[in-house]
Structure formats: structure tokens, C-alpha cells
Amino acid sequence: MDDYDEAVLFTCSLLESRLARLEYLLSGPPAATPERPQTIPERMHAIEQSLQQLAGKTALLDRVNELLTKHKDVLAPPAAARTAAPLSVAQKSALVVGRATSLSTVASSLASLADSSIPDTSGFVKLAALRPRIAEAEARQLQQALKVAELRRRSGLVVQRDRQVLGIAGGRAWAGHQERLVKGYRVLQGEARRRAQAEEGFNEHGARREKGFNERGAWPRDRL
């Protein structure tokens, strides 16, 4: 089998595979098919029959043929591009002479690149070897940043609770102490006032006691 036969067989196999894909897309899974023909004419005839059957099942192929008929230059290049006359020797020479400056520039650039020394790659090799450790350090730094953020959040909650406990609760406690102190001070003032009145000879109702009378206002029996 020569190269031409191999190319023909390859083309037939490619057409059959594409046709099978189209049948699957348009009609679903194919039914049980008979044995595939072996000769090339039989295979081409089977491909044509399958195309005709697909054209009868769906109008998509008719639309594709209509578009190809209207726009023939989509798949085939224009005739002017296919039949362009080759350049003459003079035209080729003029083209080479016109590009001579650019060719010399490219040649000098290539020469300078060839003369330039390649930098030492030992540093890059060490950096590539350190890449896993750098990745581990970055992951560790990220974990530490997350822990620091959590500690900041907790410290903020502690400070807020401390302010509430020491500020509000402490203020309430001092208010209670102040109230009790005021009450005690008033009691002490009343007691001091009563004692002062008792020393001056006044009873609890503000009446002066006569000398020799008891608290009820009667003369004592031992003095009768």
C-alpha cells in the first residue's frame, strides 16, 4: 500500500467518523448497523447514502448547502489569490534590496545576543530550591495573622466587658454606698439632735421638764 492509498483510507475514515458524530447530534444514538463495507467505492457510496438520509431527516444540511452556494469564498480562497502570477527575478531582487537594511539590523542583533554572556543561574536555582520553604513561611504567616486577628477580637471583647463591669457596675456600687452613707448621716444627725435636746432638758416632744419631775411629768415618790 502506497502513500496515496493510505491518504485515501485516512480520508474515508475521517469522513465516516464525522458523519457518525453528525448522526449522533441530529438523530441520537444510531441503531444497529450492518457490517461496514471494505472497498473504497463501497465506503464512499455508504457515506453518500448516509448524507442523503440525514438531509431527509433534517433541513439543516439544506441550509448549509444554501449558505455555501451563496458564499463560496468562505471555504475556498478567491480565484485571484489562487491564480496570482509569481514574482519575476527583478521584483525578487528589488524586494531583497529593500529588506537589506532590516536584514543587517537583525544580523547585528543576533550577533550581539551571541556575544552577550548568560547570567549566572545559581541564584535562581537556590531561589527555586527555597520556594517550598517560602511557601511554608507564607502559610505560617497567614496562620499567625489569623491568630492575631482573633486575639484582637477577644481583647476588644475583654476591654468592652471590663468597661461595663468596672464602669457601670462600679458606678452603681458607688451610688449604693452613697445612698447608704446619706441615710447613715441622717440617722446620726437625728441621734445627735435628740441627745442635744435631752441634755438641754427637752423631751422628745420639745417640752421642757421641770426640775424634780420625772419624764412622765409626775413628782417622784421618794420625794413625797
Side-chain angles (χ1 to χ4, degrees), residues 40-161:
I40 294 176
E42 292 177 354
R43 294 173 69 177
M44 295 299 297
H45 183 66
I47 291 172
E48 291 178 356
Q49 288 182 349
S50 299
L51 285 175
Q52 291 177 359
Q53 292 176 1
L54 280 178
K57 292 180 181 179
T58 178
L60 182 60
L61 294 179
D62 294 335
R63 294 178 183 177
V64 172
N65 290 327
E66 183 179 357
L67 290 174
L68 289 175
T69 304
K70 292 181 179 180
H71 307 282
K72 295 181 179 180
D73 57 343
V74 174
L75 298 179
R82 294 196 301 268
T83 60
L87 297 176
S88 62
V89 178
Q91 292 176 347
K92 293 179 181 180
S93 301
L95 183 61
V96 171
V97 171
R99 298 291 182 177
T101 56
S102 59
L103 292 175
S104 61
T105 304
V106 172
S108 62
S109 301
L110 293 175
S112 62
L113 287 176
D115 295 337
S116 61
S117 60
I118 299 176
D120 188 12
T121 60
S122 59
F124 297 101
V125 173
K126 292 180 181 179
L127 182 61
L130 292 175
R131 183 58 187 171
R133 298 177 62 183
I134 294 174
E136 292 178 0
E138 291 178 352
R140 194 181 306 111
Q141 185 177 5
L142 179 60
Q143 295 295 329
Q144 290 176 356
L146 293 175
K147 290 181 180 179
V148 169
E150 181 66 19
L151 290 175
R152 286 180 178 176
R153 186 184 68 83
R154 292 183 180 180
S155 62
L157 294 176
V158 170
V159 170
Q160 184 179 1
R161 182 175 178 81

